[in-house]
Amino acid sequence: MKILFVYYAFENQGSGLVIQGYTEAAEAMGHHVAVYGPPNPMIPLNYTTNIESADAVVFIFEWTTEIRFADSLHLARIFGRIPRGRRVILDGDGNYNDVINLDGDFNHPDVESSRRWTEFCEALTDKICQPTLRPLRQNVRPFLFYAYNPRWSADFDPARHEFGMLYVGHCKFRWDGMQEVLDAVQPIRDQVGRIGLVGYGWDSQPWWAEPLGLEAAYVSDSDYLDRQGVEILPPVPFEDVIDWMGKARFNPILTRPTFEHMRLVTPRYFETPAAGTVPLFAVDADHVAEIYGEAGKELVLRGRGTDRIADIMNRPEHYADVVSEIQEHLASNHSHATRLRELIEIIES
């Protein structure tokens, strides 16, 4: 099967590495995956503008329903070639829902925005998926989409760990989760060593926050970070994310309040355990277990965060075994090949 992904790609955020994994898995399984658009050396994906050969199209909607380097005419060409029953939407941020507003985080600023998003999705297809096992709307199909590539896996090697803690990702609606982690670190700050945050918005708002009305999304406390001795580092290309995470003893996995409410997974849920670092989950323990198995519960921050972090720093051999067990679980249950088979079933249903 030849599957065309329609996606607004970025160099240093989003699902680029996941899409590369789908492309590799498809080739190995006798299928073909490409991304609609002209070649872009800054975002190395398998691009094509050839719609005629596609058997199905998957719209990956995260922060927007727009198509990069395209317009309504391109959409009309896709609609004219790919019948409605062969179109799938992956609603990555859970925006195909009523307005959800929790702890300052929201999927839509108002009811009108939710209505527009809903109408646009329903005009494209009846096959609307979200990366959760528990969608809020009955007509949404659960499909985790984001996946684990065993080829990414690195061994847990303390000799590679330049940092005690790193977080590779932007600040968007994640300050509360980050402060929870850093508050847990504070009593044992000297034991942890270097701490780094890699991405936009941690020390100041990115340039696009105001024009997009996202000032509330990029709230942080630079004075607090200075007091904790946290290093703020620039974002890295998506192909380098796993290597960067592997530079630290542990990496928190944070989620937005709305994402936790919807139990959405993100690319970091699968990239972080691959990096040869300890994934420290600042999310609900039951949610962790349903994705990572029972071994994941040992890495949940909540309840005894400082003790957990101290144990990670003091018993690396034990946590190397835990990371290895999680990697094996993800390779068996959440690989790109598994996801691709699920996606083809959705397309053909």
Side-chain angles (χ1 to χ4, degrees):
M1 178 178 290
K2 295 181 179 179
I3 303 173
L4 184 66
F5 284 174
V6 176
Y7 178 57
Y8 200 113
F10 285 94
E11 177 185 0
N12 52 33
Q13 57 185 300
S15 302
L17 197 60
V18 176
I19 292 171
Q20 283 186 340
Y22 272 101
T23 303
E24 295 171 7
E27 183 177 357
M29 297 166 64
H31 301 291
H32 182 78
V33 165
V35 175
Y36 183 75
N40 182 352
M42 297 298 294
I43 309 173
L45 300 172
N46 183 33
Y47 294 99
T48 184
T49 55
N50 179 11
I51 299 170
E52 299 305 314
S53 64
D55 299 309
V57 61
V58 177
F59 295 89
I60 305 170
F61 292 155
E62 291 175 336
W63 69 283
T64 181
T65 58
E66 295 181 5
I67 306 175
R68 194 168 191 176
F69 309 121
D71 54 26
S72 298
L73 181 59
H74 292 79
L75 278 176
R77 290 179 59 217
I78 293 172
F79 297 163
R81 173 64 185 83
I82 308 297
R84 182 180 179 89
R86 309 287 284 185
R87 305 176 205 154
V88 176
I89 287 174
L90 186 282
D91 183 56
D93 290 356
N95 290 325
Y96 182 77
N97 276 308
D98 297 334
V99 175
I100 302 171
N101 193 320
L102 294 169
D103 300 328
D105 181 17
F106 52 87
N107 63 340
H108 292 287
D110 50 50
V111 172
E112 176 61 19
S113 173
S114 171
R115 184 192 62 79
R116 289 196 303 268
W117 192 286
T118 296
E119 289 183 353
F120 186 80
C121 290
E122 291 176 351
L124 291 185
T125 181
D126 300 318
K127 297 177 179 179
I128 301 171
C129 306
Q130 290 174 348
T132 174
L133 299 175
R134 294 174 175 79
L136 300 181
R137 287 184 170 176
Q138 291 185 349
N139 64 321
V140 172
R141 304 181 186 216
F143 175 49
L144 296 184
F145 180 71
Y146 307 111
Y148 180 83
N149 189 338
R151 190 176 59 81
W152 298 339
S153 294
D155 292 334
F156 184 90
D157 180 5
R160 295 171 48 227
H161 298 156
E162 305 170 27
F163 293 80
M165 168 186 148
L166 275 172
Y167 182 76
V168 185
H170 306 316
C171 178
K172 187 177 181 182
F173 290 122
R174 286 171 171 81
W175 174 250
D176 287 347
M178 179 56 67
Q179 188 166 7
E180 180 184 4
V181 175
L182 293 174
D183 284 349
V185 167
Q186 197 278 329
I188 56 168
R189 180 65 185 86
D190 292 342
Q191 295 182 43
V192 173
R194 292 176 70 189
I195 297 176
L197 305 181
V198 182
Y200 290 119
W202 293 109
D203 56 348
S204 61
Q205 296 214 331
W207 65 265
W208 63 81
E210 183 176 356
L212 292 179
L214 291 174
E215 295 96 329
Y218 290 96
V219 170
S220 64
D221 186 339
S222 58
D223 291 337
Y224 175 91
L225 295 175
D226 286 342
R227 291 195 301 272
Q228 288 274 36
V230 176
E231 302 174 39
I232 308 300
L233 303 164
V236 296
F238 66 78
E239 290 188 301
D240 297 336
V241 162
I242 291 176
D243 286 343
W244 262 92
M245 289 189 294
K247 297 176 184 285
R249 177 68 55 87
F250 69 93
N251 280 247
I253 292 181
L254 308 179
T255 193
R256 297 167 49 173
T258 56
F259 282 26
E260 182 161 11
H261 174 70
M262 293 181 277
R263 294 209 170 191
L264 300 179
V265 301
T266 69
R268 291 298 185 272
Y269 276 57
F270 303 100
E271 294 165 354
T272 308
T277 184
V278 175
L280 184 63
F281 301 107
V283 296
D284 179 75
D286 291 336
H287 182 32
V288 170
E290 70 183 5
I291 303 298
Y292 301 93
E294 288 299 310
K297 286 186 174 181
E298 189 170 349
L299 305 180
V300 174
L301 175 73
R302 291 174 180 171
R304 45 173 302 207
T306 301
D307 291 343
R308 176 68 64 204
I309 293 169
D311 203 38
I312 290 170
M313 300 306 298
N314 293 327
R315 290 202 300 155
E317 297 84 1
H318 170 73
Y319 287 93
D321 291 339
V322 176
V323 170
S324 179
E325 184 175 346
I326 289 175
Q327 288 177 340
E328 291 176 4
H329 178 84
L330 293 176
S332 298
N333 296 277
H334 298 284
S335 69
H336 284 91
T338 297
R339 293 284 190 272
L340 185 58
R341 284 190 287 268
E342 294 170 352
L343 178 57
I344 291 172
E345 288 179 5
I346 292 170
I347 291 168
E348 293 184 334
S349 64

